[in-house]
């Protein structure tokens, strides 16, 4: 049903933001089946190299798209995501669709129920084409596993797409899906979008209820959207967010409160959680999140982006958020999370089949003492209190999404950052993990391109954060920043069309 005179030939519709695809579907200028066919062609053309959509459900997707078109013919639409194409992260259970968690232990696992986020996205009318790749049990910010292999960066296939939502970010960047879901403990909704040149949002704790399997006392794990632009992640959040009677940490605002179109924050309207008006937006620029080593190319890109925001009229000054004790708190809470999840769920023989870093997390988690957990919870509480005080002084925090540029896919994790050795596989991710502990909403926005030491041009992510609960405020600020910085668009497909030998 492509309208005469439009330029939606072949698969170029895949490169439109999800909000524009949705508008075409509702105007009946595009059918759900046409949109699905375009995305399928993109997957089949590019995913032999990228390896983002690792389990595919084309027959189911065709039936869902046909149902969307039949409803549209009657003047009905299934929901805000009617006819849009998605694939779910392989950490989230999908009823009747293989879900491996990236682990050989669960290589043939087919759940009998959807994760609550999956259920909300499906109910909103999305067409499901399968699952996106993730590292084993989401451990580490590089997407590879023994079940499906490695996911490659769509801008530079020899480099990492990040993780653990690397498959999701790469699929969005290449137009294999309209938008995607992801999850984040230490940066998985921020690092992969930063590496792949798209937008990812880690919402406030409780914004997207985490009422799936397992207990809900952990505050660091959360779910959120990945899209091509800020309006796209607002669309995704409008479906994923909202109260859940089974969600112990659930926030009360309804999902549609975050729906696009967003109104960008003007430079002299800082109205937000405190309704402060009549002055410039106060922005804290933290180039290294309190003294972290950062690649010089990343520093340069982040400072250039901050200069652009200052031109908008925003009041930008250097200031670090509270970080004292945050790294130790993250490590203890993460160990407790592994002990109370995989440490209880898997037997010794199953644990021995996992990759070394996951085995290490489980061992440390099972060895953690009660007093260490109590100290970590006390430190977390104090960090949250100090974070609120920080955002009494500043409306927005701007920092690098990742401390490094994308690295070679053969490298399991980054071992050196700007000459400083990393002792652990999560150490190089601290630009993200330091914010995870505090529960703030944080968003990764493309800041432009940078050049690696080998002369390869890759995206750089700019991380924006606001006070806990201020998700809509953050989205509006990010929309204004996006308009100033520009979007990267779709990666060049030349390197992706050549199948590996």
């Amino acid at each position: 049903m492509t309208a005469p005179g439009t330029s939606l030939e072949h698969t170029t519709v895949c490169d439109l933001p999800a909000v524009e695809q949705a508008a075409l579907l509702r105007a009946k200028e595009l059918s759900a089946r046409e949109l699905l066919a375009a995305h399928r062609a993109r997957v089949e053309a590019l995913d032999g190299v990228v390896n983002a959509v690792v389990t595919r459900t084309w027959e189911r997707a065709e039936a869902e798209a046909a149902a969307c078109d039949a409803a549209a013919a009657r003047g009905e639409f299934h929901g805000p995501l009617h006819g849009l194409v998605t694939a779910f992260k392989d950490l989230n259970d999908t009823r009747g669709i293989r879900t491996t968690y990236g682990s050989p232990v669960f290589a043939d696992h087919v759940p009998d129920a959807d994760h609550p986020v999956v259920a909300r996205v499906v109910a909103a009318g999305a067409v499901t084409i399968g699952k996106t790749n993730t590292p084993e049990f989401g451990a580490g910010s590089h997407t590879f596993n023994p079940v499906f292999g490695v996911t490659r960066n769509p801008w530079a296939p020899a480099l990492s797409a990040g993780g653990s939502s690397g498959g999701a970010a790469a699929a969005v960047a290449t137009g294999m899906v309209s938008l995607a879901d992801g999850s984040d403990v230490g940066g998985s909704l921020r690092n992969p979008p930063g590496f792949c040149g798209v937008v990812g949002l880690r919402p406030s704790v409780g914004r997207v209820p985490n009422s799936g399997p397992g207990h809900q006392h952990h505050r660091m794990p959360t779910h959120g959207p990945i899209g091509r632009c800020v309006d796209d992640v607002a669309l995704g959040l409008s479906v994923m967010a909202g109260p859940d009677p089974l969600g112990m940490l659930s926030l009360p605002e309804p999902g549609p409160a975050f729906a696009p179109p967003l109104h960008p924050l003007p430079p002299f309207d800082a109205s937000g959680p405190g309704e402060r008006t009549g002055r410039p937006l106060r922005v804290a620029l933290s180039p290294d999140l309190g003294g972290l080593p950062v690649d010089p190319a990343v520093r340069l890109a982040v400072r250039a982006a901050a200069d652009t925001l200052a031109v908008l009229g925003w009041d930008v000054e250097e200031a670090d958020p509270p970080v004292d004790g945050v790294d130790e708190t993250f490590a203890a809470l993460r160990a407790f999370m592994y002990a109370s999840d995989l440490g209880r769920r898997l037997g010794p023989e199953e644990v021995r089949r996992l990759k070394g870093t996951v085995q290490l997390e489980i061992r440390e988690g099972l060895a953690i003492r009660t007093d260490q957990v109590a100290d970590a919870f006390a430190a977390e509480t104090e960090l949250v209190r100090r974070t609120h005080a920080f955002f009494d002084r500043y409306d927005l925090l701007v920092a690098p999404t990742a401390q490094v540029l994308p690295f070679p896919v053969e490298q399991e994790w980054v071992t050196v950052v700007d000459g400083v050795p990393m002792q652990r596989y999560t150490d190089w991710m601290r630009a993200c993990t330091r914010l995870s502990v505090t529960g703030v909403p944080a968003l990764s926005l493309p800041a432009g391109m940078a050049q690696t030491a080998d002369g390869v041009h890759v995206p750089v992510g700019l991380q924006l954060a606001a006070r806990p609960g201020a998700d809509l405020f953050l989205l509006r600020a990010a929309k204004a920043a996006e308009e100033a910085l520009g979007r990267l668009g779709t990666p060049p497909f030349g390197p992706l069309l050549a199948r590996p030998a």
Side-chain angles (χ1 to χ4, degrees):
M1 291 189 289
T2 301
T6 59
S7 58
L8 300 175
E9 302 295 331
H10 306 298
T11 64
T12 55
V13 67
C14 298
D15 301 321
L16 296 176
V19 290
E20 294 183 24
Q21 293 179 7
L24 290 168
L25 288 163
R26 289 187 175 270
K28 299 183 182 179
E29 296 179 14
L30 177 71
S31 73
R33 282 172 290 186
E34 287 173 329
L35 184 61
L36 173 61
H39 282 93
R40 180 169 185 170
R42 187 64 63 84
V43 170
E44 291 175 347
L46 303 182
D47 210 29
V49 171
V50 179
N51 194 36
V53 183
V54 290
T55 294
R56 302 173 188 174
T57 56
W58 296 122
E59 186 174 341
R60 168 179 166 160
E62 288 166 2
E64 291 175 346
C68 286
D69 289 340
R74 300 190 301 269
E76 302 170 1
F77 294 91
H78 290 165
L81 306 184
H82 175 99
L84 296 180
V85 175
T86 195
F88 294 105
K89 186 175 179 179
D90 203 27
L91 292 184
N92 288 338
D93 284 356
T94 41
R95 181 172 59 87
I97 302 176
R98 182 188 185 197
T99 302
T100 74
Y101 318 121
S103 176
V105 176
F106 290 90
D108 300 315
H109 174 58
V110 179
D112 56 10
D114 284 332
H115 185 279
V117 167
V118 172
R120 288 186 174 189
V121 171
V122 169
V127 171
T128 306
I129 66 168
K131 306 302 287 283
T132 56
N133 205 19
T134 181
E136 191 169 20
F137 289 110
S141 207
H142 177 32
T143 298
F144 69 96
N145 62 64
V147 182
F148 297 115
V150 67
T151 296
R152 296 174 179 271
N153 192 302
W155 293 88
L159 305 180
S160 172
S164 62
S165 307
V172 169
T174 51
M176 296 183 197
V177 295
S178 305
L179 75 172
D181 71 305
S183 55
D184 185 311
V185 174
S188 299
L189 278 162
R190 294 163 285 165
N191 191 336
F195 275 14
C196 293
V198 293
V199 182
L201 172 66
R202 175 191 166 91
S204 296
V205 171
R207 179 65 67 206
V208 178
N210 191 18
S211 55
H215 71 72
Q216 301 175 38
H217 295 87
H218 302 301
R219 296 178 71 257
M220 292 196 302
T222 189
H223 298 265
I226 296 173
R228 289 185 187 83
C229 62
V230 176
D231 273 337
D232 280 3
V233 297
L235 176 63
L237 185 64
S238 74
V239 168
M240 297 178 186
D244 182 345
L246 299 179
M248 293 173 58
L249 301 175
S250 178
L251 294 177
E253 290 85 356
F258 306 98
L262 296 167
H263 301 291
L265 282 180
F268 291 94
D269 178 10
S271 59
E275 295 302 318
R276 301 183 295 268
T277 59
R279 59 162 178 76
L281 193 72
R282 295 185 299 205
V283 178
L285 169 63
S286 183
D288 56 20
L289 266 297
L292 295 172
V294 177
D295 185 296
V298 174
R299 284 183 182 271
L300 185 63
V302 168
R303 286 193 177 278
D307 289 344
T308 299
L309 299 182
V311 171
L312 285 180
W314 293 0
D315 184 6
V316 180
E317 67 178 53
E318 289 202 24
D320 294 325
V323 296
D324 289 348
V326 67
D327 299 331
E328 296 79 6
T329 303
F330 175 82
L333 293 176
R334 183 177 173 90
F336 175 60
M337 183 184 72
Y338 270 90
S340 56
D341 182 15
L342 294 182
R344 292 161 55 90
R345 186 151 48 111
L346 301 182
E349 289 300 322
E350 292 173 316
V351 170
R352 278 192 282 271
R353 296 173 61 190
L354 307 180
K355 69 178 180 179
T357 49
V358 177
Q359 292 188 42
L360 173 65
E361 293 282 10
I362 293 172
R363 285 197 305 272
E364 292 183 349
L366 292 175
I368 194 168
R369 302 189 312 271
T370 303
D371 64 314
Q372 291 176 301
V373 176
D375 289 345
F377 282 143
E380 178 189 41
T381 301
E382 176 62 15
L383 281 163
V384 170
R385 186 192 68 76
R386 290 166 54 208
T387 297
H388 275 276
F390 177 83
F391 283 109
D392 285 340
R393 300 191 302 274
Y394 299 100
D395 303 297
L396 196 68
L397 170 68
V398 170
T401 297
Q403 296 160 239
V404 296
L405 299 176
F407 53 90
V409 293
E410 296 82 8
Q411 189 175 345
E412 182 172 349
W413 49 279
V414 176
T415 56
V416 178
V417 178
D418 195 26
V420 178
M422 302 289 103
Q423 303 302 318
R424 189 182 180 89
Y425 81 106
T426 54
D427 285 359
W428 69 275
M429 300 158 50
R430 284 177 171 167
C432 286
T433 63
R434 286 187 168 184
L435 297 184
S436 296
V437 176
T438 63
V440 299
L443 179 146
S444 181
L445 186 73
M449 304 289 286
Q451 187 170 305
T452 69
D454 295 328
V456 179
H457 287 85
V458 291
V460 177
L462 185 72
Q463 189 172 196
L464 287 72
R467 74 164 59 241
D471 302 68
L472 182 58
F473 180 83
L474 174 62
L475 286 166
R476 292 184 62 205
K479 174 74 171 179
E482 180 181 63
E483 291 183 352
L485 297 171
R487 289 168 41 209
L488 292 185
T490 307
F493 290 156
L496 305 180
L497 293 172
R499 299 295 175 114

